């Protein structure tokens, strides 16, 4: 990669940021399609979202991904936010055009694309979503938009209730409850898809699962948003009972591909991006 005065700068802001796979994934993608872009990680402290948007305008940064803890705070510093990001209440991608900042949420369509890549159609399906944080919000809005009947279970039940209220304001009904074994068992009897949108099972706590194995069934699709490790304990348990599994790598790649396309206007080299992420994670997807 050769950086010159003409190179277009993109990046990611968050704290912590050292673990991010996006710099490797996006720089490989820029190189693969031959655009003169570079992607840089920036550690941005909590509460500094306004400084970030000011710097973006002043320095002519073309695009940023936004991660924890800024996805919500950043919204009020942007000039325009797409409707779905507004509903979700989180922006993970910013595009700067002629000094104006445009906010998007590519997690939601990234999640949908990851389901589609496995041939899952959620229309009319009972879906159990574990978690009510930022990722869960993107997932739940995507699911109801596609006709799924969703139940949100979260450790902090009030947070699940608040998400259900926000979804209700868009005209959809979502059930909610506490993330207890009893509630998981009851909800899974009806479900076709189980989504883990909690951080349970994420590195370094790889030996934890939010759902006991005894509740998993062969006719269930189990999707885990955690991508490090790609094969979580939940997905290993699901595979042992013969259930279909979808890991978080595809959503990570697809949300990155959508951001890439917003910034460059060029179709993203998804295969290159996927193979870089798998390599970084030491994961052989075949
Ligand atoms: P977040 O906003 O911090 O939410 C964390 C969620 O995990 C909350 O629902 C929280 O419950 C729950 N949780 C944390 N520890 C728990 C525990 N010990 N037991 C039960 N529940 C627990 O984080 P996020 O941004 O939504 O991310 C959630 C996960 O999705 C992370 O692993 C992240 O890496 C992954 N993710 C993946 C992608 C992708 O592209 N594949 C994209 C976004 C996120 P409480 O509300 O009770 O605290």
């Amino acid at each position: 990669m050769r950086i010159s005065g003409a190179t277009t700068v993109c990046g990611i802001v968050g704290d912590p940021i050292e673990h991010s796979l996006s710099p490797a994934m996006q720089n490989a993608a820029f190189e693969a399609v031959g655009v003169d872009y570079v992607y840089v990680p920036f550690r941005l402290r909590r509460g500094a979202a306004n400084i970030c948007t000011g710097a973006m305008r002043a320095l002519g940064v073309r695009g940023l991904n936004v991660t924890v803890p800024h996805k919500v705070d950043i919204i009020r510093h942007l000039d325009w936010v797409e409707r779905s990001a507004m509903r979700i209440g989180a922006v993970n991608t910013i595009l700067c055009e002629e000094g104006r900042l445009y906010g998007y949420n590519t997690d939601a369509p990234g999640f949908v694309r990851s389901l589609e890549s496995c041939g899952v159609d959620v229309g009319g399906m009972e879906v159990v979503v574990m978690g009510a944080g930022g990722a869960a919000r993107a997932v739940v809005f995507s699911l109801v938009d596609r006709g799924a009947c969703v139940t949100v279970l979260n450790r902090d039940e009030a947070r699940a209730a608040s998400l259900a209220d926000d979804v209700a304001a868009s005209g959809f009904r979502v059930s909610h409850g506490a993330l207890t074994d009893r509630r998981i068992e009851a909800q899974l009897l009806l479900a076709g898809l189980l989504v883990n949108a909690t951080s349970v099972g994420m590195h370094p706590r790889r030996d934890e699962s939010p759902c006991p194995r005894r509740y998993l069934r062969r006719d269930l699709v189990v999707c885990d948003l955690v991508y490090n490790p790609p094969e979580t304990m939940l997905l290993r348990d699901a595979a042992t009972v013969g259930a279909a599994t979808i890991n978080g790598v595809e959503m990570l790649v697809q949300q990155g591909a959508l951001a890439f396309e917003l910034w460059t206007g060029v179709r993203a080299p998804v295969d290159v991006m996927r193979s870089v992420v798998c390599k970084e994670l030491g994961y052989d997807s075949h």
Side-chain angles (χ1 to χ4, degrees):
M1 180 194 311
R2 189 181 157 274
I3 296 174
S4 75
T7 303
T8 299
V9 178
C10 292
I12 181 165
V13 292
D15 188 11
I17 203 64
E18 306 75 35
H19 67 285
S20 176
L21 300 177
S22 295
M25 176 171 75
Q26 296 289 358
N27 283 315
F30 293 148
E31 203 165 328
V33 302
V35 293
D36 185 12
Y37 278 54
V38 66
Y39 186 102
V40 190
F42 298 105
R43 183 170 177 205
L44 185 72
R45 307 275 169 141
R46 187 182 288 277
N50 63 327
I51 299 173
C52 164
T53 49
M56 206 178 164
R57 288 190 180 92
L59 299 174
V61 171
R62 170 72 173 163
L64 285 180
N65 283 133
V66 182
T67 186
V68 177
H70 304 295
K71 285 185 182 184
V72 177
D73 285 0
I74 204 94
I75 289 185
R76 60 199 165 94
H77 304 292
L78 303 176
D79 298 303
W80 177 89
V81 176
E82 70 167 347
R83 184 172 160 269
S84 93
M86 215 50 166
R87 280 204 312 167
I88 293 163
V91 158
N92 78 330
T93 301
I94 306 173
L95 169 69
C96 182
E97 213 141 45
E98 292 171 7
R100 286 179 63 78
L101 301 183
Y102 300 86
Y104 301 85
N105 187 305
T106 66
D107 282 337
F111 169 70
V112 171
R113 282 194 184 184
S114 79
L115 289 184
E116 287 170 353
S117 71
C118 296
V120 178
D121 175 6
V122 296
M125 192 186 265
E126 294 281 344
V127 181
V128 177
V129 176
M130 300 181 287
R137 294 184 65 89
V139 162
V140 170
F141 277 101
S142 310
L143 289 169
V144 295
D145 280 346
R146 278 157 191 80
C149 307
V150 179
T151 299
V152 181
L153 304 179
N154 196 50
R155 179 177 62 177
D156 174 357
E157 193 176 354
R159 208 172 174 196
S162 162
L163 171 51
D165 285 349
D166 291 348
V167 177
S170 319
F172 296 101
R173 208 185 149 271
V174 161
S175 307
H176 62 86
L179 185 64
T180 59
D181 285 6
R182 244 178 92 182
R183 193 67 199 258
I184 295 172
E185 181 181 21
Q187 291 306 140
L188 281 185
L189 291 175
L190 307 168
L193 172 66
L194 171 66
V195 181
N196 177 31
T198 74
S199 44
V200 179
M202 196 167 84
H203 177 82
R205 299 171 71 176
R206 293 168 175 241
D207 296 332
E208 295 177 8
S209 168
C211 174
R213 185 167 79 177
R214 62 185 178 279
Y215 302 147
L216 301 172
R217 300 184 319 269
R218 189 184 162 76
D219 58 338
L220 202 58
V221 177
V222 181
C223 173
D224 201 329
L225 266 48
V226 171
Y227 55 81
N228 186 11
E231 284 169 331
T232 57
M233 185 171 168
L234 172 65
L235 294 186
R236 289 199 308 271
D237 286 346
T240 59
V241 302
T245 61
I246 303 173
N247 67 29
V249 169
E250 195 59 23
M251 174 171 165
L252 178 72
V253 169
Q254 295 293 348
Q255 63 78 30
L258 289 159
F260 176 99
E261 287 168 4
L262 281 167
W263 300 327
T264 63
V266 174
R267 182 178 281 272
V270 174
D271 291 345
V272 171
M273 298 170 87
R274 188 183 298 112
S275 78
V276 168
V277 169
C278 289
K279 192 170 162 210
E280 293 284 318
L281 291 169
Y283 173 57
D284 181 0
S285 58
H286 301 293

